[in-house]
Each structure stands twice: as structure tokens, then as C-alpha cells.
Amino acid sequence: SRAGIYRITGTMNDGQIRINPDVDGDVTLILDNASLNCSDSAPVYAKKGTNLTVVLTGENYITDGAVYTYETADEDEPNAALFSKENLTIRGSGSLTVQANYNNGIGCKGSLTLEGGNFSITSVNHAVKGKEAVVITGGSYTVQSAGDGIHAGSGNDDGTGALTIQDGLFTITAGEDGIQAEQTLTVVDGTFTVICGNGADAKLAEDASAKALKGQDILIEGGTFELDSTDDTVHANQTVRITGGSMQLRTGDDGIHADQELTINGGEITISQCYEGL
């Protein structure tokens, strides 16, 4: 009920850490070897009006139930095991394991910033989702999701959804898209192993999307990529610009696809399996 810094340690068998909407100021939660479970909602829920920072120390676990109970019939939030209605920042040298049985793993309606930590996320929908934007500057991410691995945007074509990755280690197995930005996807550096839709040899279901990297516009400046997808490995609704990096691509459809303009000014690209290469 008040702004400040709070250290959370130990086990919560069935409960919720909730930051109330009338808090005046920001809240920092230090997860210090904490195991948090909630059977019918999000174990961590920051309501409207407060920016939340989570600092990871030691080994931490978050698990939710398969069905959420909301206070009113018209509510649909929280919809992630770790959820903020405003901006969410996660950093630290510790680890966080998320088992999301209801919807998304980590989510927020503002900007999501991931600055470090070791993440292991399993989700029945998207593993990581930020509505306004997602910025990742480091960390290690092992993701298994039925939806997208990492998703930026609201799905409402409202101009939100830029996604920037400056560095990090990513191992993503996704039923749908691996990394999707509804606006611009920018990758500066990082190491990426992504499998989408059971890989290049699988059959894509009708109206499904299982692309490894997807955005309105895509800019790749560097990084090491091993991408294996049933759908396109790199797909932009407008432009793709590649100036560096090393890419190993396998796909059941297109290797690199831009609806409007594709520019390659550098990098090393190997497309070992595809329907159309570039």
C-alpha cells in the first residue's frame, strides 16, 4: 500500500503480492530465493498507477493456476503470472523460473525492460509480453511457449509494440512466433536459437503464424542466429535491413521476406532449407 523497496524471501503457497492502485510512487520488489504460488490469479500483480521494478537475487520461482478468478465479470487482468498494469523493469544477477498455466508468463501494459538475470519461462500463451514496448539489454532466456516467445504490442494496431534487443542469450521454442514486434524489431547483438511451429519440416496450420523473427520493420545490426521455423524465419510487413550478424536459417517457407523492401549490407547468411530464400 506504500511506495518503497521490499525484500521477498521464502515460500508463499497460495497467495498474491499486490501493489494497490493508490500507491504514491514506485515500488521495488527484491525477490531473494522466493517461491511464489497463486492458484487462481497472478502471484505478483501491480495494479494501475505504479511502476514496478523486480530485482532478482538467488533462485526464484513463480507459478499460477490454470484458471483465474476476477473480482468482476468484465475484468481480464492480470493475464500473466508476473503482471504490471504500468511499466515493469526486471534486473539482477539471480534467476527466475516462471510456470504460466493460465496465459502469459511475464507481462505488462506499459514498457517492459529486461536488464539481466537468468530466466526459464514456460507458458500456455506468450512467455514475455509488453504492450507499449519491450527493451532487452542482457540476460539469459530459456523459453517454451504455446504462443509467442517474446511479443511487443497490444494486438490493436494502435502504434504500440516496438521491440529492441541489445544483447542476451536466447533459447526459444514457440508454438507461434519466436520474437514478434507489432512495430519495429531492432536487434543490435545477442545469441539466438529459435524453433517455431516444430521447425522447417512441419506443416503449418491454416491461418497460423510460426515465424522466428517478425515485425512491421526489422533492423538487424549484429548477433548470432540459428533459426528453424515452419513459417518464414525473418518476416517484415514493410522493410528488412540487415547490416551485420551471422544467420543460419531453416524454414518451411521464406528465409528472409519483406513485403516492401529488403536491404542486406553486411553479415553472413546461410539458408539451408526454404521455399524462397530472399
Side-chain angles (χ1 to χ4, degrees):
S1 59
R2 290 193 296 178
I5 302 172
Y6 299 84
R7 184 179 297 274
I8 310 296
T9 189
T11 300
M12 180 177 71
N13 287 320
D14 188 8
Q16 184 176 74
I17 297 172
R18 179 183 297 185
I19 293 91
N20 288 332
D22 56 353
V23 170
D24 184 14
D26 297 337
V27 171
T28 296
L29 297 179
I30 301 173
L31 298 186
D32 182 359
N33 293 295
S35 179
L36 309 176
N37 173 70
C38 186
S39 64
D40 61 357
S41 189
V44 179
Y45 179 23
K47 302 192 81 171
K48 189 174 182 179
T50 301
N51 294 322
L52 174 63
T53 297
V54 175
V55 180
L56 302 176
T57 299
E59 298 180 358
N60 302 279
Y61 301 87
I62 291 178
T63 308
D64 63 2
V67 177
Y68 278 19
T69 300
Y70 293 108
E71 295 176 359
T72 62
D74 59 350
E75 286 190 69
D76 58 3
E77 294 172 351
N79 58 14
L82 170 54
F83 183 81
S84 172
K85 291 194 71 141
E86 302 292 346
N87 298 326
L88 172 61
T89 299
I90 304 177
R91 63 173 185 263
S93 59
S95 67
L96 177 61
T97 298
V98 179
Q99 177 69 49
N101 300 301
Y102 173 69
N103 198 333
N104 302 325
I106 298 172
C108 74
K109 293 194 72 174
S111 294
L112 174 60
T113 303
L114 303 174
E115 298 178 349
N118 298 304
F119 297 84
S120 177
I121 305 170
T122 303
S123 63
V124 299
N125 195 13
H126 307 325
V128 174
K129 181 176 181 179
K131 178 182 176 181
E132 294 290 339
V134 175
V135 177
I136 301 175
T137 61
S140 174
Y141 305 85
T142 301
V143 167
Q144 186 161 357
S145 62
D148 295 350
I150 302 172
H151 184 109
S154 65
N156 296 321
D157 195 24
D158 57 3
T160 61
L163 201 163
T164 301
I165 299 175
Q166 297 180 4
D167 201 1
L169 176 63
F170 302 85
T171 302
I172 298 173
T173 303
E176 296 180 352
D177 301 318
I179 301 173
Q180 181 186 173
E182 294 182 21
Q183 296 299 316
T184 301
L185 169 60
T186 303
V187 180
V188 178
D189 201 357
T191 301
F192 303 83
T193 302
V194 182
I195 301 175
C196 299
N198 296 317
D201 297 322
K203 181 176 176 60
L204 186 67
E206 188 175 355
D207 298 327
S209 179
K211 301 173 175 67
L213 304 180
K214 180 179 178 182
Q216 190 79 357
D217 297 283
I218 295 177
L219 172 61
I220 297 174
E221 298 179 358
T224 301
F225 302 83
E226 292 187 12
L227 309 180
D228 185 357
S229 60
T230 309
D231 209 342
D232 301 346
T233 44
V234 179
H235 177 100
N237 295 333
Q238 294 184 14
T239 66
V240 174
R241 182 176 179 84
I242 298 173
T243 61
S246 174
M247 308 186 81
Q248 299 285 333
L249 310 180
R250 292 183 71 250
T251 171
D253 202 349
D254 298 347
I256 303 174
H257 175 109
D259 282 354
Q260 294 184 8
E261 181 179 322
L262 168 59
T263 303
I264 299 173
N265 277 336
E268 298 178 357
I269 300 170
T270 300
I271 304 174
S272 60
Q273 180 175 332
C274 66
Y275 181 70
E276 295 176 334
L278 306 178

